[in-house]
C-alpha cells in the first residue's frame, strides 16, 4: 500500500510580501521536519495513528504555530488548548478541550481515546485525567511567547477576540494538524490548537470536535481542518468530506474541493484542510490567501505556504 502524510500549520491571510525570507525559511523547515518525522514512522511500517500523533507533537513543540508551545492567550491571560485524534480502522477517537498546563495536547487526546472509556474530556476534568495518566505537564512560563503576548495586549481590554489567521504573520500563526495512510491502508488524523486570541466564556472551536475539525474512516479518508472554527462546526466539515466519498462516491480531491470551495465558502467560512485516503491519495485545499502545509508520499514531497 502506498504510504502518505499531509499536514498543515494553519490557514489564513498569509501573504508573500509580508513575510521576510528568514521567516519563510523558518516555517518551511519546521513543516518539513514534522513531515519527515511522520513519514519515517510510516516507512518503518508504523501506524498512521502513530505518524499523525508524532507529527502534531512536533508542531506543538514549535513556537511558530498556535498549538502547544506558541498557543495564543485567552482573555484571562492563560493558554487553553484543544486537540483531537481519530483512528480510521475502527472509528475510535479522543479529544480534549480548554485544557491548561499540558505540554502535548494531542497525546492527551490519544490517552483519552485509549484509556478513559470516553471520547471527549474538557477543562479541569481533562486535567485531572492528564495527571492520572502522568501526561507531560508544562507551566505557564513554558507557553509564554512574546509575539502572542503582544497580540493579546493589543485587544486585551476590548470585547474583541481574534482568529490567529486574521492578523499579519509575524512570528507565529496557525493551528496544526495531520492526516496519514500507513502500509496497511489504515488512515488517521489529528488536530491541535490554542484557539483564538482573547477568547472568553470557555470558547471551543472545531479542532477538538470529531466530525468538524478531525475525522478518519478507512472506508473513506482522514481529514484535519484549520480556519474559522465556528463555520467548520456548523458545516461539520471533516465528516462532510467523508460523507461525499461514502454516499456519493466522490474521489478525495473532488470531495475536498466541494466542501471547502462550495459549501464552506457559501457559509462565509475561511480556512482549509488536509486529507489522505486509504489509497494514499492526498488533498490540501484552502480558500484563504495561504495555508502552511506539506505532504509526502513515495513519489516525493511538497512544502508550501501561499496560494
Ligand atoms: N480552527 C481553529 C479554531 O477555531 C483555529 C485555527 O484553525 O486556526 O479554534
Amino acid at each position: 500500500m502506498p504510504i502518505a502524510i499531509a499536514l498543515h500549520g494553519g490557514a489564513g491571510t498569509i501573504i508573500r510580501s509580508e513575510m521576510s525570507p528568514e521567516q519563510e525559511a523558518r516555517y518551511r523547515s519546521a513543516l518539513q521536519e514534522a513531515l519527515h518525522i511522520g513519514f519515517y514512522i510510516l516507512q518503518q511500517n508504523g501506524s498512521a495513528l502513530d505518524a499523525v500523533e508524532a507529527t502534531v507533537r512536533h508542531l506543538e513543540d514549535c513556537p511558530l504555530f498556535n498549538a502547544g508551545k506558541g498557543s495564543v492567550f485567552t482573555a484571562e491571560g492563560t493558554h487553553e488548548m484543544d486537540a483531537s485524534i481519530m483512528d480510521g480502522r475502527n472509528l475510535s477517537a479522543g479529544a480534549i478541550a480548554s485544557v491548561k498546563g499540558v505540554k502535548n495536547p494531542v497525546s492527551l487526546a490519544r490517552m483519552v481515546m485509549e484509556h478513559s472509556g470516553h471520547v471527549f474530556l474538557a477543562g479541569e476534568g481533562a486535567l485531572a485525567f492528564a495527571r492520572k495518566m502522568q501526561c507531560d505537564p508544562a507551566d505557564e512560563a513554558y507557553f509564554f511567547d512574546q509575539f502572542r503576548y503582544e497580540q493579546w495586549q493589543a485587544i486585551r481590554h476590548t470585547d474583541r477576540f481574534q482568529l490567529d489567521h486574521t492578523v499579519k504573520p509575524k512570528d507565529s500563526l496557525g493551528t496544526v494538524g495531520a492526516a496519514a495512510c500507513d502500509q496497511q491502508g489504515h488512515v488517521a488524523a489529528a488536530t491541535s490548537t490554542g484557539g483564538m486570541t482573547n477568547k472568553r466564556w470557555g470558547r471551543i472551536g472545531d479542532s477538538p470536535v470529531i466530525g468538524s475539525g478531525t475525522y478518519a474512516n478507512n472506508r473513506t479518508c482522514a481529514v484535519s481542518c484549520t480556519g474559522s472554527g465556528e463555520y467548520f462546526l456548523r458545516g461539520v466539515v471533516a465528516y462532510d468530506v467523508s460523507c461525499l466519498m461514502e454516499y456519493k462516491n466522490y474521489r478525495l480531491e473532488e470531495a475536498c474541493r466541494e466542501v471547502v470551495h462550495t459549501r464552506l465558502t457559501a457559509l462565509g467560512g475561511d480556512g482549509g484542510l488536509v486529507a489522505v485516503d486509504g489509497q494514499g491519495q492526498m488533498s490540501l485545499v484552502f480558500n484563504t490567501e495561504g495555508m502552511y502545509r506539506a505532504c509526502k508520499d513515495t513519489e516525493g514531497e511538497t512544502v508550501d505556504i501561499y496560494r
Side-chain angles (χ1 to χ4, degrees):
M1 273 289 179
I3 53 175
I5 183 161
L7 63 84
H8 66 79
T13 320
I14 312 166
I15 300 167
R16 195 187 298 268
S17 58
E18 285 171 2
M19 181 101 76
S20 71
E22 296 74 37
Q23 283 167 342
E24 188 174 323
R26 283 163 62 205
Y27 277 108
R28 285 183 183 275
S29 72
L31 294 168
Q32 194 173 40
E33 271 169 31
L35 187 70
H36 289 177
I37 286 171
F39 194 75
Y40 180 76
I41 292 173
L42 298 173
Q43 271 179 324
Q44 300 304 304
N45 202 16
S47 68
L49 193 66
D50 285 344
V52 295
E53 183 191 359
T55 299
V56 169
R57 274 181 76 100
H58 188 78
L59 293 166
E60 284 176 342
D61 291 343
C62 174
L64 290 174
F65 303 104
N66 174 20
K69 186 172 176 63
S71 288
V72 296
F73 282 84
T74 65
E76 286 76 41
T78 58
H79 301 86
E80 284 181 7
M81 296 162 290
D82 307 329
S84 61
I85 191 163
M86 186 160 184
D87 187 344
R89 283 177 291 199
N90 52 9
L91 306 187
S92 51
I96 52 118
S98 307
V99 168
K100 294 179 192 154
V102 167
K103 183 169 172 281
N104 291 108
V106 70
S107 295
L108 180 57
R110 182 163 177 180
M111 287 171 187
V112 171
M113 172 172 97
E114 291 175 342
H115 305 293
S116 74
H118 301 294
V119 170
F120 202 170
L121 302 181
E124 283 304 316
L127 198 54
F129 175 72
R131 281 191 213 104
K132 177 172 179 251
M133 298 306 298
Q134 297 180 333
C135 186
D136 280 351
D139 57 17
E140 276 298 314
Y142 172 81
F143 295 104
F144 184 87
D145 178 84
Q146 188 60 35
F147 172 67
R148 295 291 184 210
Y149 184 71
E150 286 163 18
Q151 268 186 336
W152 174 52
Q153 289 301 311
I155 58 170
R156 179 177 179 179
H157 299 294
T158 70
D159 279 344
R160 281 170 52 209
F161 51 88
Q162 154 172 299
L163 248 196
D164 214 31
H165 336 164
T166 54
V167 293
K168 290 183 182 165
K170 226 174 140 197
D171 285 324
S172 30
L173 184 136
T175 291
V176 306
C181 173
D182 63 27
Q183 291 187 23
Q184 276 64 49
H186 301 314
V187 299
T191 311
S192 180
T193 189
M196 295 169 106
T197 298
N198 213 33
K199 64 183 179 182
R200 292 192 288 170
W201 306 311
R203 182 267 180 190
I204 299 167
D206 61 312
S207 308
V209 177
I210 296 301
S212 287
T214 302
Y215 192 71
N217 183 344
N218 272 5
R219 293 161 59 93
T220 55
C221 61
V223 184
S224 170
C225 301
T226 174
S228 44
E230 280 65 14
Y231 295 93
F232 282 73
L233 282 166
R234 291 164 54 203
V236 200
V237 167
Y239 185 57
D240 206 20
V241 172
S242 172
C243 285
L244 286 175
M245 294 178 73
E246 187 167 5
Y247 304 139
K248 289 186 109 181
N249 282 322
Y250 277 42
R251 284 178 296 109
L252 181 74
E253 182 70 17
E254 262 181 311
C256 293
R257 294 194 153 272
E258 164 76 17
V259 169
V260 173
H261 291 305
T262 307
R263 302 182 188 215
L264 178 69
T265 305
L267 264 183
D270 61 330
L273 55 83
V274 298
V276 176
D277 71 12
Q279 280 71 50
Q281 297 295 313
M282 301 181 284
S283 176
L284 298 86
V285 178
F286 52 100
N287 67 2
T288 45
E289 292 293 331
M291 179 168 81
Y292 294 110
R293 63 195 186 277
C295 63
K296 185 171 174 69
D297 61 13
T298 45
E299 314 266 282
E301 71 179 55
T302 317
V303 178
D304 236 320
I305 299 177
Y306 315 105
R307 185 142 58 182

